[in-house]
């Protein structure tokens, strides 16, 4: 019976996505839902895209093992990111009226900066998409133990790929709305049932060891550095991301762009506490499996009735599929707009639309290869945000708030930041690699900025629109 309901849910989601594809008339519809999303759809698509496998499965297992400080990255860092975007970044980005986040780097710094930023943006998403594919495979193999993990990942991924290819941002937004309702309803129902089975809220909370709910470190300098690194990995690292920018630009108005992100951030922080609580309940109710990311699914599968399992796995698949579709669309758009389109000679809108759809398939295939590997869900998502923080955040702030137009500084900042991060990660440095990378990125930007006349760029008034012909910066020769 459970399998029937899950298959029915997958079929309904696929049909909704395919029906949404009928709203796609051109590339703007596919990429930005025609820039017509109302507040409700804009809010739900931000929330549902972010509320994924790392929130329900990854964070719950981390929390059950290490307490609140072990999940500063997600949900606390993720919520911080959405609030920062809503308060500080959404309005100025919306006014630029660009198609992709890669366009921002071209308009502010130049074509070389656009190309490098596009590569790093795509790279940063591959791990996130792969994490959702792994999670879908974990869910299906939990429901159907006889199913091979590789086959489970492939089947579930194909469903998401199909409706994303045909429906684009409209499919993502409409299915996200439907999936958000299931996420919230399912988690509330499951929380009530599990609390009752465990003997009440106070018993679950009381079983936690001393200091388990301490939010900030109480010890030395090193703990504070680690704590801050975890908070800022998603808190700042996910700000320069295409999925965030895409939802800003898809909103109907500037106010909707800002307030939908703020409301989604507040919703995320509150609803994300439920999986953490359920992870703690799992620790109390069942013997812990070796893999923390399946603790919660094991609890539901072994200790609850059919109704609860239907609600939980429906909510879980909703969370994962909504995130997977949004995460898949974002780098695909960057690939088509910022890496492929510059080499096409005056492509028609119809041709470009199909190039973008093919890009979805290409990105999905690469992510599938990663998903077949051995990385865990929480780790894959963390790596994705670290890449964008150490390479893209400093140029973003410099171009958006300080109106810097130095292409050499931007390129050096991006390449140097990610190189320093990579070396620190390989060497397993004690100082958090994201700080090494981000500080290097900042230092290089400032150094090259002070070298007057080197690669400075002037952008004429009115060059902030989506036209590639009008936004190519003019190099000043020193």
């Amino acid at each position: 019976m459970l399998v029937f309901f899950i298959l029915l849910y997958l079929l309904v989601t696929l049909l909704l996505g395919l029906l949404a594809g009928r709203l796609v008339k051109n590339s703007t519809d596919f990429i930005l839902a025609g820039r017509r999303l109302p507040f409700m759809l804009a809010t739900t698509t931000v929330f549902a895209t972010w509320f994924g496998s790392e929130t329900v499965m990854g964070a719950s297992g981390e929390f059950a093992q290490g307490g609140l400080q072990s999940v500063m990255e997600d949900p606390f860092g993720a919520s911080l990111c959405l609030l920062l975007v809503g308060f500080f970044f959404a309005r100025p980005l919306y006014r630029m009226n660009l198609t992709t986040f890669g366009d921002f780097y071209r308009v502010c710094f130049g074509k070389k900066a656009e190309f490098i930023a596009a590569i790093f943006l795509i790279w940063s998403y591959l791990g996130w998409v792969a994490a959702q594919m792994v999670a879908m495979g974990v869910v299906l193999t939990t429901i159907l133990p006889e199913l091979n993990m590789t086959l489970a990942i492939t089947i579930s991924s194909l469903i998401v790929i199909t409706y994303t290819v045909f429906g684009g941002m409209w499919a993502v937004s409409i299915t996200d709305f439907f999936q958000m309702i299931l996420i919230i309803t399912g988690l509330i129902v499951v929380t009530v049932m599990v609390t009752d089975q465990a003997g009440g809220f106070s018993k679950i909370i009381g079983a936690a060891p001393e200091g388990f709910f301490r939010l900030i470190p109480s010890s030395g300098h090193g703990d504070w550095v680690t704590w801050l690194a975890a908070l800022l990995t998603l808190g700042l690292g996910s700000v320069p991301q295409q999925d965030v920018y895409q939802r800003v630009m898809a909103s109907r108005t500037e106010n909707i762009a800002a307030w939908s992100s703020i409301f989604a951030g507040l919703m995320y922080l509150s609803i994300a506490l439920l999986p953490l609580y359920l992870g703690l309940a799992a620790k109390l109710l069942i013997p812990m499996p070796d893999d923390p990311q399946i603790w919660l699914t094991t609890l539901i599968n072994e200790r609850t009735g059919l109704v609860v399992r239907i609600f939980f796995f429906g909510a879980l698949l909703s969370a994962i599929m909504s995130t997977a579709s949004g995460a898949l669309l974002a780098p695909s758009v960057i690939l088509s707009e910022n890496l492929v389109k510059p080499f096409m000679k005056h492509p028609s809108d119809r041709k470009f639309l199909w190039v973008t759809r093919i890009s979805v398939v290409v990105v999905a295939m690469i992510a599938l290869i990663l998903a077949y590997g051995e990385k865990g869900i929480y780790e894959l998502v963390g790596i994705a945000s670290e890449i964008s923080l150490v390479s893209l955040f400093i140029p973003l702030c410099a171009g958006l708030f300080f109106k810097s137009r130095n292409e050499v500084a931007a390129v050096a900042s991006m390449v140097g930041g990610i190189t320093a991060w990579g070396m620190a990660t390989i060497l397993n440095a004690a100082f958090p690699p994201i700080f090494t990378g981000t500080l290097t990125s900042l230092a290089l930007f400032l150094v090259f900025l002070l070298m007057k006349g080197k690669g400075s760029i002037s952008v004429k008034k009115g060059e902030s629109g989506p036209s590639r012909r009008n936004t190519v910066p003019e190099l000043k020769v020193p």
Side-chain angles (χ1 to χ4, degrees):
M1 185 63 72
L2 174 61
V3 175
F4 169 77
F5 278 104
I6 295 301
L7 292 176
L8 179 62
Y9 164 75
L10 293 174
L11 179 61
V12 170
T13 302
L14 179 60
L15 289 175
L16 275 175
L18 292 176
L19 287 173
R22 301 177 66 180
L23 297 172
V24 177
K25 308 299 182 184
N26 52 51
S27 60
T28 302
D29 287 337
F30 187 87
I31 296 171
L32 297 173
R35 292 189 170 96
R36 300 199 304 269
L37 290 186
F39 176 77
M40 181 61 73
L41 280 182
T43 302
T44 55
T45 192
V46 172
F47 170 83
T49 296
W50 279 59
F51 200 97
S53 61
E54 67 279 6
T55 314
V56 180
M57 299 167 66
S60 61
E62 294 286 332
F63 174 71
Q65 292 182 103
L68 274 181
Q69 291 183 41
S70 67
V71 290
M72 292 311 301
E73 184 177 304
D74 190 7
F76 294 101
S79 301
L80 173 63
C81 171
L82 294 177
L83 294 174
L84 290 175
V85 169
F87 282 117
F88 300 107
F89 291 88
R91 294 179 189 276
L93 284 172
Y94 189 88
R95 292 169 194 153
M96 293 186 74
N97 192 30
L98 303 173
T99 301
T100 73
F101 206 49
D103 291 344
F104 170 86
Y105 292 90
R106 183 188 71 249
V107 169
C108 288
F109 301 111
K111 289 185 176 181
K112 293 185 182 68
E114 173 194 17
F115 181 81
I116 294 171
I119 291 175
F120 291 160
L121 280 164
I122 294 170
W123 182 15
S124 70
Y125 273 97
L126 295 176
W128 195 21
V129 178
Q132 311 314 312
M133 292 175 169
V134 170
M136 288 189 289
V138 170
V139 173
L140 288 185
T141 53
T142 301
I143 298 168
L144 295 168
E146 64 275 10
L147 193 63
N148 177 271
M149 182 64 169
T150 300
L151 182 60
I153 290 174
T154 305
I155 292 172
S156 53
S157 298
L158 284 176
I159 294 173
V160 174
I161 294 167
T162 300
Y163 75 73
T164 304
V165 164
F166 284 96
M169 191 63 183
W170 272 121
V172 171
S173 302
I174 291 173
T175 55
D176 279 356
F177 177 76
F178 167 67
Q179 288 161 337
M180 190 207 70
I181 295 172
L182 283 177
I183 291 167
I184 296 176
T185 303
L187 284 176
I188 290 174
V189 170
V190 170
T191 299
V192 171
M193 296 293 186
V194 169
T195 299
D196 180 67
Q197 187 175 114
F201 177 80
S202 58
K203 185 172 181 181
I204 294 174
I205 299 300
E210 184 179 353
F212 192 81
F213 298 106
R214 185 179 292 122
L215 188 61
I216 60 176
S218 59
S219 52
H221 171 74
D223 289 341
W224 275 98
V225 171
T226 302
W227 180 89
L228 190 61
L231 179 66
L232 297 184
T233 295
L234 264 66
L236 297 183
S238 290
V239 172
Q241 288 281 14
Q242 172 64 16
D243 67 285
V244 174
Y245 179 81
Q246 209 163 352
R247 280 142 189 78
V248 166
M249 289 309 303
S251 299
R252 184 180 293 164
T253 67
E254 180 181 309
N255 283 333
I256 289 175
W259 284 106
S260 62
S261 184
I262 293 169
F263 270 74
L266 295 174
M267 284 176 58
Y268 187 93
L269 184 58
S270 56
I271 302 300
L273 295 178
L274 296 180
L276 303 187
Y277 172 77
L278 290 171
L280 186 59
K283 190 175 181 179
L284 180 66
L285 289 172
I286 62 171
M288 293 293 97
D290 293 334
D291 186 357
Q293 65 189 14
I294 66 169
W295 286 2
L296 190 49
T297 55
T298 303
L299 166 69
I300 301 302
N301 211 35
E302 293 184 359
R303 298 296 298 270
T304 62
L306 177 62
V307 174
V308 176
R309 293 204 302 275
I310 290 173
F311 271 106
F312 174 78
F313 285 110
L316 180 56
L317 276 175
S318 295
I320 298 169
M321 293 178 72
S322 60
T323 301
S325 58
L328 178 58
L329 181 62
S332 305
V333 169
I334 294 287
L335 176 60
S336 62
E337 168 72 14
N338 301 112
L339 294 185
V340 177
K341 190 176 182 180
F343 295 97
M344 301 172 68
K345 292 184 178 179
H346 309 293
S348 65
D349 187 78
R350 181 180 178 83
K351 184 176 182 180
F352 177 64
L353 175 58
W354 278 106
V355 168
T356 306
R357 283 173 163 153
I358 293 170
S359 297
V360 173
V361 177
V362 171
V363 171
M365 293 303 103
I366 297 172
L368 268 173
I369 293 172
L370 287 177
Y372 296 145
E374 299 296 328
K375 295 286 187 183
I377 294 169
Y378 207 75
E379 183 182 0
L380 283 167
V381 173
I383 291 173
S385 295
E386 288 182 20
I387 292 170
S388 55
L389 174 56
V390 301
S391 61
L392 302 172
F393 183 75
I394 297 300
L396 166 65
C397 292
L400 194 64
F401 300 119
F402 299 100
K403 308 305 178 186
S404 172
R405 296 296 182 264
N406 190 308
E407 184 174 29
V408 176
V411 170
S413 176
M414 288 187 280
V415 175
I418 206 162
T419 301
W421 167 80
M423 291 178 64
T425 301
I426 293 171
L427 296 174
N428 198 23
F431 190 66
I434 67 159
F435 285 157
T436 302
T438 306
L439 291 174
T440 301
S441 177
L442 175 61
L444 287 172
F445 195 97
L446 293 175
V447 167
F448 282 94
L449 192 64
L450 293 174
M451 296 171 65
K452 293 182 180 180
K454 300 289 186 179
S456 60
I457 295 175
S458 64
V459 180
K460 296 179 181 179
K461 186 177 180 180
E463 289 190 341
S464 59
S467 169
R468 183 172 292 275
R469 179 174 57 86
N470 293 329
T471 54
V472 177
E474 202 175 89
L475 288 177
K476 282 184 178 179
V477 180

